Amino acid sequence: MSDGLTALDSSRLTSPPDDSRSLRRREDQRFLTGQGDYLDDRLVTGELSAAVLRSPHAHATIVSIDVSAAAALPGVRGVFTSADLDGLGPLPTSITVATVEPLIVPPRLPLAAGRVRHVGDPVAFVVADSAALAREACEHIAVDYDILPSVTELRHAPEPDAAQIWVEAPGNLAFRFHRGDTAAVEKAFARAAHIVTCDLVNNRIVAAALEPRIAVGRFDAGTGVYHLEISGASVHAIRRELAEGVFGLPLDRIQVSCPDVGGGFGMKNVTYPEHALVLWAARKLDRPVRWSAERIEDFTGGIHSRDNVSTARLALDRKGRFLALAVETIGNLGAYVSSLGPGSATNAPAAAMGGLYDIPAMTMDVRGVFTNTAPIDAYRGAGKPEANYLIERLVEKAAHQLRIDPAKLRQRNFIRTFPYRSAFGTTIDCGTFGENLDQVLLAADRAGFPDRKRAASKRGKLRGFGIGCFLETSRGQPNEEAWLRMRDDGTIDMAVGTQSNGQGHETSFAQVASTKLGLPVETFNLVQADTTRVPRGGGHGGARSLHLGGTALVMAADDLIAKARPIAAQLLQVGAGDLTFENGRFHASAGPDGVSREIDLFAVARHVLDSTGAGLESHGDNVCDVITFPNGAQVAEVEIDPETGAISLERYVAVDDYGTLVNPLLTESQVHGGLAQGIGQALLEEAIYDPDSGQLLSATFMDYAMPRAADLPFFDLRMVEVPTKANPLGVKGSGQAGCIGAPQTIMNAVLDALRPLGVTHLDMPATPAKVWRAIRDAKAAAATKP
């Protein structure tokens, strides 16, 4: 193994609550006492309120729009349609995908022009003295629609008789993507002793952040600068898309910022029509304009995620060794190409395809298609949950088809020699995959499971034990920058190009800087998510913050010490090479008089300020496109009531590797959050459209089932620290891991419980109704056998 360990050392298992690194989040004090700085609490003097009229149809031609009645209401300041939006271009997509057939990006204007293409498509924008009045005015707008045939079911979109959504995309095909050596895969399948095939659905889900989307637009007529405040993330990317794509302006003419954010999970990383609309209206009306989404607008007008269907085939030799993997996928883009949407079915899953396993040959063929649904874009993990779900379900099926213990089949095929270069060219630098699986099976007491299964049976329940492994590929946007700025109040500003949406960066980044500079954690203030204060940055996404942003912060700290050293040497009247730096102070060796001299960093900064009038600043530019590989082995136990199909998640145990842990407690909390979302997808959540009308049937929390505390067990999480050399901190990223590991672990447990009844396949979410029908159908099939 790359770290020189030959067996799993129990001392490498971290218990977060007892670890001295596990500082509680500094930001919790204000969050828990109602002092959070959220955009909805920031009232802007003179602001107007906006509302969006949205399409009630999945696909229709706009014959006419009459806004006169709405515009005549007292207090309504403007009613705008696409014809009014002079100078605004379409929303761009930022991602680059090396496709076999080029990605087609039809124009997505901020307001629909001529045709609507999904329920919730923006049609008109109303600005009034209050939000209530703006919403009322929307009801007075008369739109004459000519309803067209629609297609909302992914499997039907490529069919010849399906409704055509864009002229530019015949057959609703947006792109074709291919990765891998087809000849090598075909050769491997030709000599395989066993071939296992699995058809899988990765269900469409909604992020449903606690805080809905909000946008406030301002325009300074004197400078010609727009300022957008959002509840969002990736402010630099959104700024670039708005400036270069929508407004056609230099970057410095648009500034984007956001305060505290009540959850994002990827759906707030992208550019939305409302961002452009509030800015345009602010200039048009010479007043700040605020738009706040209602919950149903986030369901119908926000991005959705996942939503693909795949056929996967695994070739094995006589001993159960993996020879090749072939995957064919249809990926949903929705009605438009969103900012990062195509990546979720192409680049992102490709990096993680094959999971933790040594598979010599792989191919991946993807067709991206348009449907009359909300656009698809990144959501926690974005592509990696799909890739891991696919391989783990396939491995589990192979184990039962070949009558091999699922744990032994995994152990037989784990990557064990590092660095390992996958069939798709991804280089994995380190890991202890086999040891982690051994440890989680021990922690979950697999040996005692038969007794628990028998006890459940006596109570009339089915009990299942599921194993699931995962490989994350953490990096997101490559490269990151950080700045340190010393203040005269004895604190230091850390300006970092990443962004916290609740991950605890105010604490973890301060711990990184504190360790490097030897100053108390309280010394450091986090500055983020403001293009006027943070010149550049890659923002949030891809579990990239500590890997890229933390490294940039270390580089900025090194630069700060380097800049301060000659000044300290001058003040101490010694050579710069004679100084050592420790605990925030420069130390000089004892001189002829036998007296050692020292000066602290803030004294140096004060001298610089007094001498030059400028504060002491430093910069770290982390040019890095290296990926890190968080990974883990997890176990779930479920009980199922065969009479109702109801599932109870009884246990969840994980042994995961996130590299060096800066703050184990925060890592654990991130994993818990991801597990809750992954469990939600596996058991509860699904965004469903009516196939006939195209209406979103799960558009509120009355119809879209979110996991609650009662649906989750107490998680038993153990963390193994295998540092990566991809960054000086040795960190691997943890923000997405739970979402990546949980779906297959849960579904394997469900199928383990149901398999004795003859149920061998089930797609997510495993709702009681779906489980009950599967049991009924299996019993009916068994009854018809001779």
Side-chain angles (χ1 to χ4, degrees), residues 189 192-199 311-316 322 324-326 393-402 409:
F189 273 93
H194 307 281
I195 296 175
V196 180
T197 302
C198 197
D199 294 320
T311 296
R313 296 183 300 133
L314 183 65
L316 304 91
F322 300 162
L325 172 68
R393 287 289 303 268
L394 197 55
V395 170
E396 193 76 9
K397 185 173 182 179
H400 290 281
Q401 186 170 314
L402 275 62
L409 184 61

Side-chain angles (χ1 to χ4, degrees), residues 357-717:
Y357 306 103
D358 180 9
I359 305 178
M362 297 191 296
T363 55
M364 177 181 169
D365 292 281
V366 183
R367 286 180 291 164
V369 300
F370 292 110
T371 60
N372 293 115
T373 63
I376 291 289
D377 211 301
Y379 171 75
R380 206 167 193 166
K384 278 83 78 172
E386 294 92 319
N388 279 273
Y389 181 70
L390 187 150
I391 188 63
E392 287 296 313
R393 287 289 303 268
L394 197 55
V395 170
E396 193 76 9
K397 185 173 182 179
H400 290 281
Q401 186 170 314
L402 275 62
R403 303 189 180 209
I404 300 175
D405 178 356
K408 290 183 178 178
L409 184 61
R410 288 177 169 87
Q411 290 283 14
R412 196 169 297 176
N413 289 281
F414 278 144
I415 298 164
R416 294 187 181 276
T417 302
F418 299 94
Y420 173 85
R421 184 176 173 84
S422 79
F424 284 172
T426 302
T427 299
I428 303 170
D429 66 329
C430 61
T432 54
F433 306 154
E435 293 90 331
N436 294 351
L437 180 56
D438 285 341
Q439 189 66 32
V440 80
L441 294 178
L442 184 64
D445 185 24
R446 191 190 195 201
F449 175 72
D451 291 338
R452 298 192 293 277
K453 187 179 181 75
R454 282 189 291 271
S457 180
K458 291 179 180 179
R459 291 182 276 106
K461 301 294 179 66
L462 307 169
R463 191 158 181 126
F465 187 98
I467 301 169
C469 297
F470 77 90
L471 178 75
E472 157 75 301
T473 56
S474 294
R475 188 203 66 189
Q477 177 77 15
N479 310 329
E480 194 50 85
E481 297 182 63
W483 295 260
L484 289 174
R485 297 163 184 153
M486 300 195 68
R487 299 163 57 100
D488 57 9
D489 64 357
T491 64
I492 300 176
D493 284 345
M494 308 176 294
V496 187
T498 65
Q499 184 181 340
S500 174
N501 281 213
Q503 301 95 310
H505 291 182
E506 291 180 41
T507 303
S508 57
F509 278 174
Q511 287 180 265
V512 170
S514 171
T515 299
K516 187 67 181 177
L517 295 175
L519 296 168
V521 169
E522 295 75 20
T523 305
F524 301 94
N525 314 304
L526 179 64
V527 178
Q528 62 165 13
D530 187 339
T531 59
T532 63
R533 301 182 66 192
V534 184
R536 294 170 298 279
H540 158 74
R544 67 189 298 277
S545 294
L546 275 178
H547 169 33
L548 295 180
T551 298
L553 191 59
V554 168
M555 296 168 71
D558 285 336
D559 185 48
L560 187 67
I561 295 169
K563 286 181 174 177
R565 182 180 296 275
I567 303 167
Q570 180 184 7
L571 294 173
L572 295 177
Q573 298 184 346
V574 297
D578 296 328
L579 290 178
T580 59
F581 181 81
E582 186 179 11
N583 295 328
R585 306 178 73 85
F586 288 97
H587 302 268
S589 302
D593 56 3
V595 178
S596 61
R597 285 159 288 176
E598 61 181 38
I599 187 171
D600 70 67
L601 196 56
F602 285 100
V604 175
R606 283 192 295 272
H607 175 78
V608 171
L609 182 61
D610 293 341
S611 303
T612 67
L616 184 59
E617 297 188 5
S618 65
H619 176 226
D621 187 4
N622 181 21
V623 179
C624 175
D625 63 356
V626 179
I627 296 172
T628 68
F629 299 91
N631 62 86
Q634 303 182 347
V635 165
E637 282 192 40
V638 300
E639 283 195 0
I640 300 175
D641 184 341
E643 298 300 318
T644 65
I647 297 175
S648 172
L649 178 56
E650 297 294 311
R651 301 184 71 199
Y652 203 99
V653 185
V655 173
D656 294 347
D657 166 21
Y658 303 111
T660 302
L661 302 176
V662 170
N663 185 316
L665 182 62
L666 296 193
T667 304
E668 185 178 46
S669 69
Q670 281 297 291
V671 177
H672 283 191
L675 287 172
Q677 289 180 296
I679 291 165
Q681 182 181 9
L683 297 178
L684 298 163
E685 300 181 47
E686 187 170 23
I688 302 175
Y689 285 88
D690 179 75
D692 297 323
S693 67
Q695 295 295 319
L696 182 61
L697 301 179
S698 52
T700 72
F701 287 138
M702 291 291 290
D703 306 295
Y704 187 88
M706 294 284 284
R708 302 187 179 196
D711 298 311
L712 307 174
F714 285 98
F715 299 124
D716 183 352
L717 176 61

Side-chain angles (χ1 to χ4, degrees), residues 7-8 24 58 66 100 104-105 107 130 224 241 244 262 291 332 357 399 409 434-435 489 648 690 693-694 709 719:
L8 184 64
R24 296 199 174 273
D66 184 356
V100 177
I104 296 170
V105 185
S130 70
E241 290 190 352
E244 297 176 355
W291 170 79
N332 203 341
Y357 306 103
L409 184 61
E435 293 90 331
D489 64 357
S648 172
D690 179 75
S693 67
M719 289 179 281

